[in-house]
């Protein structure tokens, strides 16, 4: 009887105390910016546009399109909140398939009049320049979007990304 109990105890220890090596393959490791780094990037993007007299909002989404930081600049209209978010969302969702790193590249590829039955109907798609993917090496870990939609948006997003790029390692 003691041998059976000892064998059962050993079997339980092996099963529950030592996870199978194959299980580790079922767990994904993801990366995202810290809150402080995301806040620093959006602040720099807003400041870069403000220096040029441009009133914007900047937003950072993580790779799962979850909002990490948003900063409406002084005087930025409420519509810029959605626009900055949607530009970042667009580059993360549509840019992956073709390895496009900016919403401007996607907008240029799609053209000025996307089909009314296609991309234009998808929620949170905004085919306009103003968002750039944030990468850790080659891995997309998020995107920064700037709005309201002028020619300066992508440059301001780049200023925000440049501010933190040295710490993306």
């Amino acid at each position: 009887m003691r041998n059976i109990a000892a064998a059962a105890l050993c079997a339980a220890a092996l099963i529950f105390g030592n996870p199978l090596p194959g299980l580790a393959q079922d767990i994904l490791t993801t990366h995202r910016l810290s809150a402080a780094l995301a806040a620093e990037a959006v602040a720099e993007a807003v400041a870069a546009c403000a220096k040029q007299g441009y009133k914007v909002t900047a937003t950072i989404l993580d790779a799962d399109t979850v909002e990490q930081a948003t900063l409406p600049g002084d005087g930025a209209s409420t519509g810029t909140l959605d626009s900055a978010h949607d530009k970042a969302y667009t580059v993360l969702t549509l840019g992956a398939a073709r390895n496009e790193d900016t919403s401007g590249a996607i907008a240029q590829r799609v053209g000025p009049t996307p089909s009314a039955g296609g991309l234009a109907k998808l929620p949170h798609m905004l085919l306009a320049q103003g968002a750039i993917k944030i990468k850790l090496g080659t891995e997309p870990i998020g995107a920064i979007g700037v709005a309201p939609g002028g020619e300066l948006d992508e440059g301001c997003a780049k200023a925000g990304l440049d501010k933190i790029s040295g710490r993306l390692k």
Side-chain angles (χ1 to χ4, degrees):
M1 188 65 142
R2 282 185 184 172
N3 289 342
I4 294 174
L9 187 58
C10 285
L14 285 173
I15 292 170
F16 297 110
N18 186 15
L20 298 174
L23 293 179
Q25 296 172 4
D26 293 335
I27 305 299
L28 300 176
T29 301
T30 60
H31 298 97
R32 61 182 279 164
L33 297 178
S34 68
L37 206 55
E40 191 175 331
V42 294
E44 182 62 28
V46 168
C49 273
K51 288 176 190 169
Q52 300 174 65
Y54 197 46
K55 299 170 182 175
V56 302
T57 293
T59 296
I60 289 185
L61 304 180
D62 70 13
D64 293 323
T65 68
V66 175
E67 191 172 315
Q68 283 194 269
T70 295
L71 180 64
D74 294 338
S77 69
T78 57
T80 62
L81 292 166
D82 289 336
S83 297
H85 173 278
D86 293 354
K87 288 178 183 185
Y89 182 90
T90 299
V91 76
L92 286 169
T93 56
L94 295 182
R98 295 180 187 238
N99 201 26
E100 293 164 313
D101 290 337
T102 67
S103 60
I106 296 166
Q108 185 175 13
R109 173 177 50 86
V110 172
T113 54
S115 145
L119 295 175
K121 289 188 124 183
L122 296 173
H124 303 296
M125 292 294 160
L126 184 54
L127 299 170
Q129 72 170 1
I132 302 173
K133 274 187 202 170
I134 301 168
K135 292 184 172 184
L136 182 64
T138 60
E139 175 192 0
I141 61 168
I144 181 169
V146 175
E151 68 284 349
L152 300 177
D153 288 352
E154 220 156 86
C156 295
K158 184 175 179 338
L161 184 55
D162 287 349
K163 175 80 172 180
I164 65 167
S165 65
R167 291 173 276 168
L168 295 177
K169 296 176 182 178

